[in-house]
Amino acid sequence: MTLLPVAEAQARVLALGRPVDTVEVPLDQALGRWATAPVIARRTQPSADLSAMDGYALRFADLPGPLNVIGESAAGAPFSGTIGAGEAVRIFTGAAMPRGTDTVLVQEEAARDGDTLTLDGEGPAHRGRNVRRRGLDFAEGDVLVEQGQRLTPARLAVAATGGVARIAVARPVRVALAATGDELVEPGTPGDALPESNRLLLRALLAGTGVEIVDLGILPDRLDRLTDAFASVDADVLVTTGGASVGDHDLVRPALLAAGTTLDFWRIALRPGKPMLAGRRGDMAVVGLPGNPVSAFVTALLVVRPLVAHLAGATDPFPPVSRALLGQDLPANNERTDYLRAELRDGRAFASTIQDSSMLRTLARSTCLIVRDPYAPAARAGDSAEILMIA
């Protein structure tokens, strides 16, 4: 069987999902989600010409003075009059420029004797110096956040400053998580059985994306139990871990088929994560991940999180790729795209010595994944390589 290339698998998984409905939420509930409509400014910022410095508001033509100080302008308490020839107003950063003024003389270059102001330094070089003009940041009607952009702290702040109180986002994407395997127990269970960590890993990887988790728990290696669980789940995405290969106890694939799932593909040209599968049951996208925790992490990073982001309205749901210099030589690659656990040290990426997909401690120490394309030739220390940051 020909293995599916990673990029094609990613595109096909996105096509399996159905975008969810849009809701409006307060700004403080939108962090980490994606704008499903452009965020439009409802006011102009700044709404008036403001001083950028502490000093004196005046007419540039009246310099070097002397000038008569006739009042004060502070943020929230503007000077209400109009400045005439030879007059100035004491002003503070963020305060509105009085009518008739066009320049601010900073206080470090001003000398004042009572109400008499004179220049004590070079002074402003041109008219308009130290003034933030009305609309310098944005104007009413400007697009502050594009549709599909992630709602970061800065984007929420600019929306708030733009007079926006509520923002359109996707309703929480319902993600059902199921771990499979008779060998698994919940963390903290006494004895030598293997604690199950993939559901926790997936929850953490999806944190901050506005998801609603449906936890199906640990399911046994029984075809009837798996089929019943998969047939009854109500979610936008079902993610299973384990049981996706071809062993006698790998029952996820037949159980999904028995539950009415139409499989789109099984097995991709990826290391680690080759046995991944994907399909759909009704409107629910289904992704079956390998049970090995490193394989589950890599496939979830490349496929599950982008799928959730896509359903939630993201324009660019895939993890960003950057570049770093290799800290060591790497051998030539085979037909699968390789994602090597690595650490960045002094700006160089060093691959972990052991890349076995069961080595979760190696993943915990890693800060990035080195991406090796299929059939990539041997690389030398100092060569540039693609990386995905993971910590």
Side-chain angles (χ1 to χ4, degrees):
M1 177 185 295
T2 302
L3 299 180
L4 194 66
V6 173
E8 184 176 346
Q10 289 176 310
R12 285 167 65 166
V13 168
L14 293 197
L16 293 171
R18 295 287 184 264
V20 301
D21 295 333
T22 291
V23 295
E24 283 198 348
V25 298
L27 294 181
D28 62 2
Q29 296 179 21
L31 180 64
R33 296 161 85 169
W34 288 267
T36 56
V39 178
I40 308 298
R42 299 181 179 179
R43 58 181 296 279
T44 295
Q45 176 63 22
S47 59
D49 291 350
L50 304 179
S51 176
M53 303 289 286
D54 291 342
Y56 295 88
L58 44 78
R59 302 191 318 175
F60 183 76
D62 289 340
L63 290 174
L67 299 97
N68 184 35
V69 179
I70 62 171
E72 180 178 290
S73 182
F79 180 79
S80 59
T82 301
I83 302 302
E87 294 179 331
V89 164
R90 178 76 168 112
I91 198 166
F92 301 94
T93 302
M97 294 289 290
R99 289 187 296 273
T101 62
D102 56 26
T103 303
V104 172
L105 171 66
V106 298
Q107 62 186 24
E108 293 84 356
E109 296 183 337
R112 183 169 173 180
D113 183 7
D115 290 335
T116 300
L117 177 71
T118 55
L119 184 64
D120 184 21
E122 294 183 359
H126 56 79
R127 178 179 285 102
R129 183 72 171 173
N130 303 318
V131 177
R132 296 174 182 148
R133 293 298 181 190
R134 181 179 186 274
L136 176 66
D137 198 353
F138 54 81
E140 181 180 357
D142 284 352
V143 175
L144 301 179
V145 182
E146 299 283 353
Q147 180 176 341
Q149 284 189 320
R150 190 90 187 270
L151 292 165
T152 61
R155 286 171 180 155
L156 291 175
V158 76
T161 304
V164 176
R166 299 177 68 84
I167 201 162
V169 297
R171 67 151 172 82
V173 179
R174 286 173 56 83
V175 180
L177 303 178
T180 67
D182 290 337
E183 75 279 15
L184 301 176
V185 295
E186 295 290 352
T189 302
D192 294 331
L194 178 63
E196 198 282 312
S197 62
N198 283 338
R199 284 153 46 237
L200 175 63
L201 181 150
L202 292 169
R203 279 178 177 269
L205 196 62
L206 296 175
T209 60
V211 299
E212 177 186 341
I213 298 296
V214 180
D215 191 353
L216 302 183
I218 301 172
L219 302 178
D221 290 323
R222 285 179 45 189
L223 185 60
D224 59 338
R225 292 282 302 276
L226 293 173
T227 300
D228 289 345
F230 299 157
S232 61
V233 66
D234 178 19
D236 301 302
V237 180
L238 167 62
V239 183
T240 68
T241 63
S245 192
V246 293
D248 292 343
H249 299 283
D250 291 317
L251 301 175
V252 167
R253 191 160 62 106
L256 287 171
L257 292 171
T261 302
T262 301
L263 290 185
D264 184 82
F265 65 84
W266 173 52
R267 302 204 308 174
I268 59 177
L270 170 66
R271 184 188 302 107
K274 173 184 171 183
M276 197 199 91
L277 61 83
R280 183 192 293 151
R281 185 178 70 78
D283 287 338
M284 181 176 67
V286 177
V287 182
L289 305 182
N292 277 339
V294 176
S295 299
F297 175 82
V298 172
T299 47
L301 180 69
L302 297 175
V303 174
V304 176
R305 197 173 192 281
L307 172 60
V308 170
H310 172 68
L311 298 183
T315 302
D316 184 11
F318 296 109
V321 176
S322 55
R323 301 196 73 86
L325 299 181
L326 293 175
Q328 77 224 84
D329 297 348
L330 293 177
N333 195 21
N334 64 8
E335 73 278 5
R336 287 193 274 167
T337 304
D338 211 348
Y339 289 82
L340 302 174
R341 282 157 285 168
E343 295 181 66
L344 280 182
R345 300 197 296 268
D346 297 325
R348 296 198 169 210
F350 292 82
S352 300
T353 303
I354 302 176
Q355 291 289 328
D356 186 281
S357 60
S358 68
M359 303 289 289
L360 191 52
R361 189 178 185 188
T362 302
L363 177 64
R365 290 171 171 167
S366 299
T367 55
C368 67
L369 300 174
I370 299 173
V371 184
R372 299 280 286 153
D373 289 335
Y375 303 109
R380 303 296 300 272
D383 288 349
S384 177
E386 286 189 352
I387 62 169
L388 296 181
M389 297 302 302
I390 59 173

